[in-house]
Amino acid sequence: MAIKTVIRQVNEHVGETVVIGSWLNNKRSSGKIQFLQLRDGTGYIQAVVVKSEVSEDTWNNAKSLTQESSMYVTGVIREEPRSQSGYEMTVTDLEILHLTENYPITPKEHGVDFLMDHRHLWLRSSKQRAIMVIRAQIISAIQDFFDQNGFTLVDPPILTPTSAEGTTNLFHTKYFEEDAYLTQSGQLYMEAAAMALGKVYSFGPTFRAEKSKTRRHLIEFWMIEPEMAFTDHEESLKVQEQFIAHVVQSVLANCRTELEAVGRDVSKLENIKAPFPRITYDEAIEFLNSQDFDIPWGEDFGAPHETAIAERYDKPVFITHYPAGIKAFYMKPDPNRPEVVLCADMIAPEGYGEIIGGSQRIDDPELMEARFNEHNLSMDTYQWYMDLRKYGSVPHSGFGLGLERTVAWICGLDHVRETIPFPRTLYRLYP
Amino acid sequence: MAIKTVIRQVNEHVGETVVIGSWLNNKRSSGKIQFLQLRDGTGYIQAVVVKSEVSEDTWNNAKSLTQESSMYVTGVIREEPRSQSGYEMTVTDLEILHLTENYPITPKEHGVDFLMDHRHLWLRSSKQRAIMVIRAQIISAIQDFFDQNGFTLVDPPILTPTSAEGTTNLFHTKYFEEDAYLTQSGQLYMEAAAMALGKVYSFGPTFRAEKSKTRRHLIEFWMIEPEMAFTDHEESLKVQEQFIAHVVQSVLANCRTELEAVGRDVSKLENIKAPFPRITYDEAIEFLNSQDFDIPWGEDFGAPHETAIAERYDKPVFITHYPAGIKAFYMKPDPNRPEVVLCADMIAPEGYGEIIGGSQRIDDPELMEARFNEHNLSMDTYQWYMDLRKYGSVPHSGFGLGLERTVAWICGLDHVRETIPFPRTLYRLYP
Ligand SMILES: [Mg+2]
Ligand SMILES: [Mg+2]
């Protein structure tokens, strides 16, 4: 009996007869030999069918295979240094499961809309599969980092009664008799969790109903939001740079084949190790104005500003101490200079923009109440958040990582739409 | 300088002076000694303040502490076999961060509504914290199992154009000009992903807008949905029982203290090892009718039926081969008996009900098309799903695990509302 295995594990079966469920990726023939390029989702292998060594049925089955036809193929695994995977299969038997006709995605070029309409099939192509494998490795590295550093995973709610930053860009739904909105960030809930569990992190979907169409934005995207009790801004920056370095090094260690499949220049990633450079908002403004930009103090940076700053470094760069006026209400003012806050954005290299935003949070109950009033936050809705300052308030910090931008940067992709299995963009809810 | 650490790691600092950010859980005093019960989210420790050995300020600071007051406490770690954690701290210094007044959750009994209104604070209590730690351990064990068994994590979309099982129980939102619904299951998308990646699993939130109020239901809950290409019903059952056994054994190995804090009888969990018992739907009907039940063949089981069946076993039990009419349209009929499908529900012991539902999927394009017509599924909306059978269809199986019911069972809880940080129930969207 042949052993059932998968392509990734053929190295454990050299000299043995195995059976592999697979799809035809491509084939070529030289009259008496057919070379089948097979894929099974775990990898790629060449299966060789020699006319003189197989039954007529097996030979004809192989001949009838079209792109994306599915089969159980039986054969002997051999080491083959000339092949990319290092192994080949000599076929002894071939059972066709399904002959595919007119597979829509062919080796020729297709337009983006066509590929997005066929996302459920496009995922089978080698580059898209590689991106999904790297995405999964990034997620796994994220979980490892936080699990190994004493964080507890906490899932904040997706359906929320409102948002402290306004409901204009939120998706609305009727929650029985009440109004509910899809979360844009779980941070406030993570602050509550940090007071119960010390160090926590979330991993989940977030939503922004924004009518913007850029290569950096998705409507539905995944965020990682760590929050740490008894942790100040400075300690938080150290966690952030170690975290990102761990993720990048873990992809380099585990996804060489996939990085090659997406055409990534890995030399750009090898250098991503802590510490990361830091500049203040003030220094950034000064630099920008020394270049072609004309940006007054107090204005937020856009993508061109971020790119100009990032270009000076071959690692992610922290921009710290933004003016309070352009940052969120909960950020703690710098005690030495209250017009700026203890915050940082981490800007990825190579023009990939902001991947992390974080800050120390206000812990003083009176200042928080003042901020509530300035921002017209309803005490009814946010009493629970105010309670975190009323009962045992402590210094704490946290940050949010955008998963898809991180995947785009690590894979070196032009557009975030390829970083998620089924992207939701302004005009795309299908498939 | 005192080393900053957390309670979970005091074992690494015996004989050293450390500083710990913490909250007062409780205290008692004997005039010249104060015993502070501290928590920091990572654990509990007793800190001893001896009047003759500290400054007057430190003594008075300790005296002024109320429940949930926050502080940095400095002291020397000692081994103390009589204490539950095995360690104690001799305090040398105590810096108050925030004195709490009138903390709403006191050691006396509170009603469920009161506790749920204060969920953001209730999470700080030792039982609720322990449940959250066990939940995180369960999630970590789930990820480990799938990562170690060759599965790739894939995130299916949350916003979907419609649902194959009708939109009555779905939350609706406007997606710009289109209608969108919050996902109830990512399964169909996971089938597409399995054809690209072989074995995949999802971990994400799902939603059911059902006006039911039982101790087993949440409006917003998390599901794990694995899907496996080239895998039949029988192989899928093997994965399921190994998976559940791994999760339970991993919680037993890593969360003894937390299981004790929730009052779990762990002897009920120690036996949860593969293989699990199996009975067919037919046998279950026969058994139920031999008892006090009167249930005709073809009707679905409710909670009392499931409990009666589960009570016969001290492990989870598979009920297999349900009638096609009461199961989902995509389940594959048993080739030997097409009126039943190749499916199984896994029922947890001790009355916790169904935790897994799974099946082999229809792979025959013609049968799938017939099912589409029977169920009035629009080819416009589901063309992409039909494509999975049109292009390289293969035998495949999958299942879905409900996270919160699994947490309830492993923790031995009466109600799922305590299994998730911020539960969403029929009348509860706050905090
Ligand atoms: Mg920014
Ligand atoms: Mg059922």
Side-chain angles (χ1 to χ4, degrees):
Chain A
M1 262 302 281
I3 306 154
K4 191 176 172 188
T5 191
V6 291
I7 294 172
R8 183 172 32 201
Q9 289 174 345
V10 293
N11 62 320
E12 298 167 16
H13 298 285
V14 174
E16 295 174 6
T17 299
V18 300
V19 57
I20 297 178
S22 57
W23 291 271
L24 186 78
N25 205 26
N26 213 335
K27 73 172 172 181
R28 57 197 176 81
S29 170
S30 74
K32 291 177 176 172
I33 306 189
Q34 297 178 67
F35 300 95
L36 313 177
Q37 313 292 339
L38 304 180
R39 69 167 192 91
D40 74 345
T42 77
Y44 299 86
I45 195 168
Q46 176 160 278
V48 185
V49 193
V50 181
K51 190 168 184 179
S52 59
E53 290 174 12
V54 297
S55 71
E56 210 179 313
D57 272 3
T58 296
W59 178 258
N60 289 333
N61 279 348
K63 244 189 142 161
S64 69
L65 292 173
T66 50
Q67 189 195 350
E68 283 302 309
S69 286
S70 52
M71 72 201 89
Y72 281 117
V73 56
T74 306
V76 182
I77 301 300
R78 286 180 290 104
E79 290 197 69
E80 175 48 76
R82 283 169 305 176
S83 96
Q84 216 198 345
S85 71
Y87 301 92
E88 263 187 16
M89 176 193 255
T90 305
V91 174
T92 55
D93 197 11
L94 197 157
E95 177 198 344
I96 292 173
L97 289 166
H98 185 218
L99 281 179
T100 292
E101 287 170 48
N102 305 317
Y103 187 66
I105 302 180
T106 57
K108 70 162 196 198
E109 285 278 309
H110 296 282
V112 168
D113 275 343
F114 179 86
L115 290 170
M116 294 291 272
D117 283 342
H118 293 84
R119 182 64 176 168
H120 54 294
L121 303 176
W122 189 26
L123 285 172
R124 302 182 185 186
S125 74
S126 65
K127 182 179 173 189
Q128 298 305 311
R129 174 195 167 274
I131 296 169
M132 292 303 112
V133 170
I134 294 170
R135 176 185 168 102
Q137 178 61 41
I138 289 171
I139 295 170
S140 176
I142 289 169
Q143 292 159 344
D144 281 353
F145 178 85
F146 289 115
D147 288 353
Q148 284 161 19
N149 284 280
F151 287 71
T152 303
L153 179 67
V154 166
D155 302 305
I158 309 299
L159 291 167
T160 56
T162 178
S163 160
E165 301 179 52
T167 58
T168 341
N169 287 335
L170 299 187
F171 287 102
H172 169 265
T173 190
K174 272 321 254 190
Y175 190 87
F176 308 105
E177 273 76 50
E178 291 175 81
D179 290 302
Y181 300 89
L182 299 191
T183 183
Q184 196 167 228
S185 158
Q187 181 201 309
L188 307 193
Y189 293 95
M190 297 308 286
E191 289 185 56
M195 303 305 140
L197 291 148
K199 292 195 283 183
V200 293
Y201 76 105
S202 70
F203 176 76
T206 50
F207 305 85
R208 204 155 297 176
E210 227 175 315
K211 281 214 165 177
S212 69
K213 217 186 160 182
T214 84
R215 60 192 185 82
R216 287 186 186 178
H217 287 90
L218 289 169
I219 301 295
E220 177 181 313
F221 53 103
W222 288 66
M223 272 182 73
I224 291 85
E225 299 190 279
E227 194 72 33
M228 301 163 279
F230 304 106
T231 300
D232 66 20
H233 174 60
E234 176 62 31
E235 291 166 313
S236 176
L237 294 189
K238 288 227 167 67
V239 172
Q240 291 173 47
E241 60 195 7
Q242 282 160 12
F243 166 52
I244 294 300
H246 171 85
V247 169
V248 171
Q249 295 306 320
S250 151
V251 172
L252 282 171
N254 294 289
C255 297
R256 285 281 166 172
T257 319
E258 287 79 13
L259 288 166
E260 201 172 303
V262 300
R264 185 58 162 128
D265 175 359
V266 293
S267 72
K268 294 251 162 68
L269 298 176
E270 271 152 3
N271 190 39
I272 310 297
K273 290 179 182 157
F276 294 169
R278 303 177 186 187
I279 65 169
T280 63
Y281 172 87
D282 289 3
E283 290 163 347
I285 285 283
E286 200 177 327
F287 163 74
L288 289 170
N289 284 318
S290 78
Q291 306 293 310
D292 282 344
F293 296 96
D294 179 22
I295 177 168
W297 194 95
E299 220 164 78
D300 202 1
F301 299 139
H305 305 112
E306 289 178 353
T307 300
I309 295 162
E311 267 171 3
R312 304 167 71 198
Y313 307 96
D314 57 0
K315 293 182 183 186
V317 54
F318 287 115
I319 308 178
T320 69
H321 299 85
Y322 282 74
I326 52 171
K327 285 292 180 185
F329 75 94
Y330 47 72
M331 293 190 179
K332 187 180 175 81
D334 185 340
N336 302 316
R337 202 182 152 209
E339 70 272 24
V340 300
V341 284
L342 298 174
C343 76
D345 286 356
M346 188 195 287
I347 316 295
E350 303 174 67
Y352 284 95
E354 180 192 331
I355 51 173
I356 285 183
S359 74
Q360 187 164 343
R361 321 306 191 185
I362 291 172
D363 53 334
D364 176 32
E366 274 145 48
L367 179 57
M368 185 56 92
E369 205 170 326
R371 286 283 191 272
F372 265 54
N373 294 331
E374 286 163 35
H375 288 78
N376 290 312
L377 293 180
S378 130
M379 268 296 177
D380 266 13
T381 321
Y382 286 104
Q383 183 58 57
W384 69 270
Y385 185 66
M386 196 61 219
D387 279 359
L388 307 180
R389 276 71 186 175
K390 243 176 106 178
Y391 304 117
S393 187
V394 304
H396 63 290
S397 301
F399 59 94
L401 172 84
L403 177 63
E404 283 74 20
R405 285 197 192 172
T406 307
V407 176
W409 163 48
I410 293 179
C411 290
L413 303 175
D414 288 339
H415 200 296
V416 287
R417 70 184 157 226
E418 292 182 37
T419 62
I420 189 165
F422 297 93
R424 296 297 180 241
T425 56
L426 190 46
Y427 301 113
R428 162 120 358 238
L429 190 56
Y430 175 96
Chain B
M1 263 301 282
I3 306 153
K4 191 175 171 190
T5 190
V6 292
I7 295 174
R8 183 172 33 201
Q9 290 175 345
V10 292
N11 62 321
E12 300 167 15
H13 298 285
V14 174
E16 294 173 7
T17 299
V18 300
V19 57
I20 298 179
S22 57
W23 292 269
L24 187 78
N25 204 27
N26 214 334
K27 72 172 172 182
R28 58 199 174 80
S29 169
S30 74
K32 291 177 176 171
I33 305 190
Q34 297 178 69
F35 299 95
L36 313 177
Q37 312 293 338
L38 304 179
R39 69 166 193 90
D40 73 346
T42 78
Y44 299 86
I45 195 167
Q46 176 162 277
V48 185
V49 192
V50 182
K51 190 169 185 178
S52 60
E53 291 176 10
V54 297
S55 71
E56 210 180 314
D57 272 3
T58 297
W59 178 258
N60 289 333
N61 280 347
K63 244 189 143 159
S64 68
L65 292 172
T66 50
Q67 190 194 348
E68 283 303 308
S69 286
S70 50
M71 72 203 87
Y72 281 117
V73 56
T74 306
V76 181
I77 301 300
R78 287 181 290 103
E79 289 197 70
E80 176 49 77
R82 285 169 303 176
S83 97
Q84 217 197 346
S85 70
Y87 302 92
E88 263 186 19
M89 177 194 255
T90 305
V91 174
T92 56
D93 197 11
L94 199 158
E95 177 198 344
I96 292 174
L97 288 167
H98 185 216
L99 282 179
T100 293
E101 286 171 48
N102 304 317
Y103 188 66
I105 302 180
T106 57
K108 71 162 196 198
E109 284 278 307
H110 296 282
V112 167
D113 275 342
F114 179 86
L115 290 170
M116 294 290 272
D117 282 342
H118 294 84
R119 182 64 177 169
H120 54 295
L121 302 176
W122 189 26
L123 285 171
R124 304 182 184 187
S125 74
S126 66
K127 183 179 172 188
Q128 298 305 313
R129 175 196 166 272
I131 296 169
M132 290 305 112
V133 170
I134 294 170
R135 176 185 167 102
Q137 178 62 41
I138 289 170
I139 294 169
S140 174
I142 289 169
Q143 291 159 346
D144 281 352
F145 178 85
F146 289 115
D147 288 352
Q148 285 161 20
N149 284 279
F151 288 71
T152 303
L153 178 66
V154 166
D155 301 306
I158 309 299
L159 291 167
T160 56
T162 180
S163 160
E165 300 179 53
T167 57
T168 341
N169 288 334
L170 299 188
F171 287 103
H172 168 265
T173 191
K174 271 324 254 192
Y175 190 89
F176 308 103
E177 273 74 53
E178 292 175 79
D179 290 302
Y181 300 89
L182 298 192
T183 183
Q184 195 167 231
S185 158
Q187 181 202 310
L188 307 193
Y189 293 96
M190 297 307 287
E191 290 185 57
M195 303 306 138
L197 291 147
K199 292 196 284 185
V200 292
Y201 76 105
S202 70
F203 175 75
T206 51
F207 305 85
R208 203 156 297 176
E210 226 175 315
K211 281 214 166 180
S212 69
K213 215 186 161 182
T214 84
R215 60 192 186 82
R216 288 187 187 177
H217 286 91
L218 290 169
I219 302 294
E220 177 180 312
F221 54 104
W222 289 66
M223 273 184 72
I224 291 86
E225 299 190 279
E227 195 71 34
M228 301 162 280
F230 305 106
T231 300
D232 65 20
H233 175 61
E234 176 62 31
E235 291 167 312
S236 176
L237 293 188
K238 290 227 166 69
V239 172
Q240 291 173 47
E241 61 195 7
Q242 282 160 12
F243 166 52
I244 294 299
H246 170 84
V247 169
V248 172
Q249 295 305 319
S250 152
V251 172
L252 283 170
N254 294 290
C255 297
R256 285 282 164 171
T257 319
E258 287 78 14
L259 288 166
E260 201 171 302
V262 301
R264 185 57 162 129
D265 176 358
V266 293
S267 71
K268 294 249 160 70
L269 298 176
E270 271 152 0
N271 192 35
I272 310 299
K273 290 179 181 156
F276 294 168
R278 304 177 185 187
I279 64 169
T280 62
Y281 172 87
D282 288 3
E283 290 162 349
I285 283 284
E286 200 177 326
F287 163 74
L288 290 169
N289 284 319
S290 79
Q291 306 293 309
D292 282 343
F293 295 96
D294 180 21
I295 177 169
W297 195 96
E299 220 164 78
D300 202 2
F301 299 140
H305 304 112
E306 288 178 353
T307 301
I309 294 162
E311 267 170 2
R312 305 166 72 196
Y313 308 95
D314 57 1
K315 291 182 185 186
V317 53
F318 287 114
I319 308 178
T320 69
H321 299 86
Y322 282 73
I326 53 171
K327 284 292 179 185
F329 76 94
Y330 49 70
M331 293 190 179
K332 188 182 174 80
D334 185 341
N336 303 315
R337 202 183 150 208
E339 70 272 24
V340 300
V341 283
L342 297 175
C343 77
D345 285 357
M346 186 194 289
I347 316 295
E350 303 173 68
Y352 284 95
E354 180 192 331
I355 49 172
I356 285 183
S359 73
Q360 188 164 342
R361 321 306 191 185
I362 291 172
D363 53 333
D364 177 32
E366 274 145 44
L367 180 57
M368 186 55 92
E369 205 170 325
R371 286 281 191 275
F372 265 55
N373 293 332
E374 284 163 36
H375 289 77
N376 290 312
L377 293 180
S378 131
M379 269 295 177
D380 265 12
T381 322
Y382 286 104
Q383 182 59 54
W384 70 269
Y385 186 65
M386 195 61 220
D387 280 358
L388 308 179
R389 277 70 187 176
K390 244 175 105 179
Y391 303 116
S393 187
V394 305
H396 63 290
S397 299
F399 59 95
L401 173 85
L403 176 63
E404 283 74 20
R405 285 197 192 173
T406 306
V407 176
W409 163 48
I410 293 179
C411 290
L413 304 175
D414 288 340
H415 200 295
V416 287
R417 69 184 157 225
E418 292 182 36
T419 61
I420 188 165
F422 297 94
R424 296 299 179 240
T425 57
L426 189 45
Y427 301 112
R428 162 117 3 236
L429 189 56
Y430 174 95

